[in-house]
């Protein structure tokens, strides 16, 4: 292995140290404990889906209702990005690994750890990229100048990062996958409110 290949994993490890994360439990969780953490994550998701972003212009998001269902999001709230950054990062990495552009043997624990580290890092990056794209394209209209533009982008990105952390809580402390839980919650919420 040459020097460049050895530095790439080290760089991602250094970046990952600065990313917020949820530690695995130190003991085996019982059913009630796992159910409690799943419920807490779901409750936080639903609360954030009802917190309106400061600095956006009032408007209708009817044209985005399909995306809300698919992405487990709610336009105009902290959950505007939903699971989009997580799914986008996962798809890109799976394509790169599956096509052997990135040659990782996913049967080995160290390759799976690399995959998870890169997946989380890319998901955080996509939270910012998608936030800028949503605001710049007018999907989330801003009611002000460049300062408000930046404030709205930061709120959207923070919501995306919180979804990443909630997904980690569900997968490490609760039942199943946060992504599936949030899609199910979004669909259920839509059925109940309509």
């Amino acid at each position: 292995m040459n020097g460049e290949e050895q530095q790439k994993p080290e760089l991602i490890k250094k970046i990952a140290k600065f990313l917020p994360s949820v530690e695995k439990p130190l003991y085996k969780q019982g059913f009630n404990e796992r159910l409690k953490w799943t419920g807490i994550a779901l409750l936080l998701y639903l609360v954030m889906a009802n917190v309106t972003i400061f600095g956006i212009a009032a408007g209708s998001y009817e044209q985005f209702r399909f995306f809300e269902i698919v992405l487990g999001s709610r336009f105009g709230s902290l959950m505007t990005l939903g699971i989009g950054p997580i799914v986008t990062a996962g798809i890109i990495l799976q394509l790169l690994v599956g096509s052997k552009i990135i040659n990782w043997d996913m049967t080995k624990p160290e390759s799976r750890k690399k995959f998870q580290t890169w997946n989380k890092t890319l998901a955080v990056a996509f939270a910012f990229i998608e936030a800028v794209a949503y605001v710049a394209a007018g999907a989330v209209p801003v009611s002000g100048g460049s300062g408000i533009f930046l404030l709205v982008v930061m709120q959207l990105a923070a919501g995306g990062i919180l979804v990443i952390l909630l997904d980690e809580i569900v997968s490490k402390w609760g039942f199943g996958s946060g992504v599936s839980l949030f899609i199910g919650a979004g669909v259920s919420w839509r059925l109940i409110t309509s």
Side-chain angles (χ1 to χ4, degrees), residues 51-165:
V51 174
T52 304
I53 295 172
F54 175 78
I56 61 171
S60 173
Y61 298 103
E62 288 301 318
Q63 67 270 27
F64 300 114
R65 293 299 176 217
F66 172 75
F67 292 114
E68 287 184 345
I69 293 170
V70 172
L71 296 176
S73 65
R74 185 153 183 249
F75 274 76
S77 74
L78 285 175
M79 291 295 103
T80 298
L81 299 181
I83 61 166
I86 299 169
V87 172
T88 305
I91 288 172
I92 288 173
L93 271 180
Q94 288 174 6
L95 287 172
L96 292 173
V97 171
S99 64
K100 301 292 183 197
I101 293 172
I102 296 177
N103 196 14
W104 290 338
D105 182 5
M106 296 309 287
T107 59
K108 296 181 179 176
E110 62 271 4
S111 292
R112 288 194 303 271
K113 186 169 173 74
K114 270 189 216 176
F115 184 90
Q116 291 171 345
T117 304
W118 273 100
N119 191 35
K120 184 174 183 180
T121 305
L122 282 176
V124 169
F126 277 119
F128 286 96
I129 292 167
E130 289 181 19
V132 170
Y134 278 35
V135 175
V140 180
V142 175
S143 64
S146 59
I148 299 294
F149 179 94
L150 184 60
L151 180 63
V152 170
V153 166
M154 295 307 283
Q155 290 175 84
L156 288 173
I161 292 169
L162 287 172
V163 169
I164 294 166
L165 292 174

Side-chain angles (χ1 to χ4, degrees), residues 30-64:
F31 177 81
N32 289 337
E33 187 77 14
R34 293 174 78 85
L35 189 62
K36 177 183 85 172
W37 283 108
T38 304
I40 289 170
L42 180 60
L43 181 66
L44 287 172
Y45 168 81
L46 292 173
V47 166
M48 291 189 324
N50 288 294
V51 174
T52 304
I53 295 172
F54 175 78
I56 61 171
S60 173
Y61 298 103
E62 288 301 318
Q63 67 270 27
F64 300 114

